[in-house]
Amino acid sequence: RYGGIRSEISSTMVALATASERTLLETWLREKLQPGQDASSQWRNRGLVGFLALLKQAEGSNQEEVLAEYHHAHLYTDLAEQYLQLGRQSEALTVAQEHLTETFEITQFAERLLASDAQWRDQSLAFVEGRLAEEITAAKKMPKDLMRPHVIDTYRRWLSEQYRLASRMQQALDIEMARFQAHPDEATYLAVRSAAQADEQGIHLWSGLRSQLLQALKQQSRWAALVAIFVDEGEVERALTALQEEEQMQKVPTYPAYGYRSYPLATLRVRVARVAEETYPDEAIQIYARVVEALIEQRGRENYQQAVAYLSQMKQLYQKVEREKTWEAYIVGLRTRYKSLRAFKEELERKGL
């Protein structure tokens, strides 16, 4: 739309209008332009200037006059795009460097610059690298700015992807390490692992690097992340130990910093129990029991249904380790303890427990 007018209608109006009518249209459009640079004004002005550009072209104006309309309306994202479409990358980059401030505008422009000509890859990356450096410097001066870490991480993620596409694996690894150091968790650990294992040199480095990352997570008590990592990498014993630490930590309310991913305890328990069934069946049984009782305490038929599903799994494990009598004593005790919960008893009957 052009300022609320559909683009196909505006094109038809320009094509059918006489010279005097186009002059009236231009006057009307200029009156409707809004001085603000908020999102609403920018959207409205973008449409109006697009309409003005059609009028200018119909009147035989040169391209510089059309570009001037975008500049006067402070539509710098659109102006940079116009320069790119004309193959004038240097001028587009100058506009972006001088006027673009929003993170998504900067990364979007850098992608468009890179797509316009592969020869501009270095300049595209350098543009975002420069903005990243500015944000890091500003973060040191204003450590209480809670939004800046998100901006920094956005730039780093974008650069990591572009480094990989350009086969600059060491730079990708370096920036993923920076992301991990800023926000150590499962996601940034996996990102470092992916970058390190992307080429032969990194694969050789991964073993020592992995120990360093795991130690950092342990020092910061990121036990939930460690549980997820150990499960993913098949280290069942270490996953069991990390789960115990996480269970203890969740007993004390905490306020995680930006970037810390929280994990529901039930989810962690089930993940560990499943991978422990084969080699640590007794531990798996104990974990499932904690999950079951937590679900029952939450009440509600849906929770009872989940609890009964895990009870069925527990029964199979008791049979596997030839402890059927222990299972029978457990399920009788559970029925007795929750004898007032009619819906729970119905779900047990439905599953034959």
Side-chain angles (χ1 to χ4, degrees), residues 293-335:
E293 294 185 27
L295 285 167
I296 296 171
E297 290 297 332
Q298 291 176 35
R299 301 294 191 266
R301 188 171 293 274
E302 185 176 339
N303 288 324
Y304 299 151
Q305 289 170 347
Q306 291 183 47
V308 169
Y310 293 129
L311 283 168
S312 297
Q313 193 65 23
M314 288 175 64
K315 181 179 180 180
Q316 293 178 23
L317 288 171
Y318 273 116
Q319 291 170 340
K320 177 181 177 180
V321 296
E322 299 179 349
R323 291 169 53 195
E324 288 88 346
K325 290 185 177 179
T326 305
W327 158 254
E328 291 171 4
Y330 172 77
I331 196 65
V332 168
L334 199 67
R335 279 178 167 276

Side-chain angles (χ1 to χ4, degrees), residues 73-97:
H74 306 295
L75 295 171
Y76 299 115
T77 301
D78 302 82
L79 178 59
E81 176 62 25
Q82 291 292 320
Y83 278 129
L84 288 177
Q85 291 180 11
L86 294 169
R88 293 160 65 172
Q89 287 90 344
S90 180
E91 290 163 285
L93 182 56
T94 297
V95 169
Q97 289 171 329

Side-chain angles (χ1 to χ4, degrees), residues 2 5-29 47-61 66:
Y2 290 118
I5 301 174
R6 295 178 65 87
S7 57
E8 59 268 26
I9 296 176
S10 59
S11 299
T12 302
M13 291 174 65
V14 171
L16 298 177
T18 64
S20 59
E21 289 171 337
R22 286 198 294 269
T23 299
L24 287 173
L25 271 174
E26 181 175 347
T27 300
W28 175 79
L29 290 169
L48 295 170
V49 171
F51 202 156
L52 282 170
L54 290 177
L55 288 171
K56 288 287 185 181
Q57 291 165 356
E59 293 166 0
S61 299
V66 173

Side-chain angles (χ1 to χ4, degrees), residues 258-278:
Y258 166 79
Y260 181 76
R261 177 183 173 186
S262 61
Y263 301 75
L265 188 54
T267 301
L268 291 174
R269 284 171 169 167
V270 171
R271 289 182 67 181
V272 175
R274 283 174 177 163
V275 298
E277 288 180 9
E278 186 65 31

Side-chain angles (χ1 to χ4, degrees), residues 15-244:
L16 298 177
T18 64
S20 59
E21 289 171 337
R22 286 198 294 269
T23 299
L24 287 173
L25 271 174
E26 181 175 347
T27 300
W28 175 79
L29 290 169
R30 293 191 186 284
E31 289 175 351
K32 296 297 181 180
L33 287 171
Q34 297 179 355
Q37 294 193 46
D38 57 278
S40 176
S41 297
Q42 288 280 293
W43 175 84
R44 183 176 179 81
N45 289 347
R46 183 172 293 111
L48 295 170
V49 171
F51 202 156
L52 282 170
L54 290 177
L55 288 171
K56 288 287 185 181
Q57 291 165 356
E59 293 166 0
S61 299
N62 61 40
Q63 190 63 51
E64 297 306 316
E65 291 178 292
V66 173
L67 293 170
E69 295 292 346
Y70 286 99
H71 190 277
H72 292 153
H74 306 295
L75 295 171
Y76 299 115
T77 301
D78 302 82
L79 178 59
E81 176 62 25
Q82 291 292 320
Y83 278 129
L84 288 177
Q85 291 180 11
L86 294 169
R88 293 160 65 172
Q89 287 90 344
S90 180
E91 290 163 285
L93 182 56
T94 297
V95 169
Q97 289 171 329
E98 292 179 356
H99 299 290
L100 299 191
T101 58
E102 297 295 330
T103 311
F104 77 93
E105 291 178 338
I106 291 162
T107 54
Q108 185 178 63
F109 169 78
E111 288 179 11
R112 294 285 296 122
L113 176 61
L114 204 160
S116 71
D117 190 333
Q119 295 182 0
W120 284 85
R121 182 181 299 278
D122 288 345
Q123 292 91 328
S124 173
L125 293 174
F127 175 48
V128 179
E129 288 166 346
R131 291 305 173 92
L132 171 59
E134 291 172 5
E135 292 294 337
I136 292 172
T137 299
K140 292 176 181 177
K141 295 179 180 178
M142 295 180 287
K144 294 184 179 180
D145 186 340
L146 300 180
M147 285 302 298
R148 206 168 295 277
H150 172 71
V151 172
I152 291 171
D153 191 60
T154 299
Y155 285 140
R156 282 175 170 157
R157 283 188 288 108
W158 186 90
L159 285 167
S160 177
E161 180 181 355
Q162 297 304 322
Y163 289 147
R164 294 189 197 206
L165 291 173
S167 298
R168 300 182 182 183
M169 300 315 302
Q170 185 58 53
Q171 286 178 282
L173 178 56
D174 290 343
I175 209 156
E176 291 298 356
M177 279 297 296
R179 291 186 63 226
F180 177 86
Q181 289 162 0
H183 314 299
D185 64 8
E186 180 195 7
T188 52
Y189 172 92
L190 294 176
V192 173
R193 187 179 74 180
S194 176
Q197 295 180 337
D199 63 13
E200 189 172 341
Q201 181 180 359
I203 291 173
H204 294 308
L205 294 173
W206 172 240
S207 178
L209 196 56
R210 178 177 183 269
S211 297
Q212 177 184 336
L213 301 182
L214 294 178
Q215 183 63 24
L217 290 167
K218 183 177 179 180
Q219 289 174 345
Q220 297 192 35
S221 298
R222 300 296 176 95
W223 297 109
L226 285 166
V227 169
I229 290 165
F230 291 140
V231 167
D232 178 64
E233 297 182 344
E235 295 201 40
V236 180
E237 185 174 357
R238 298 180 78 177
L240 287 165
T241 301
L243 177 61
Q244 290 176 348

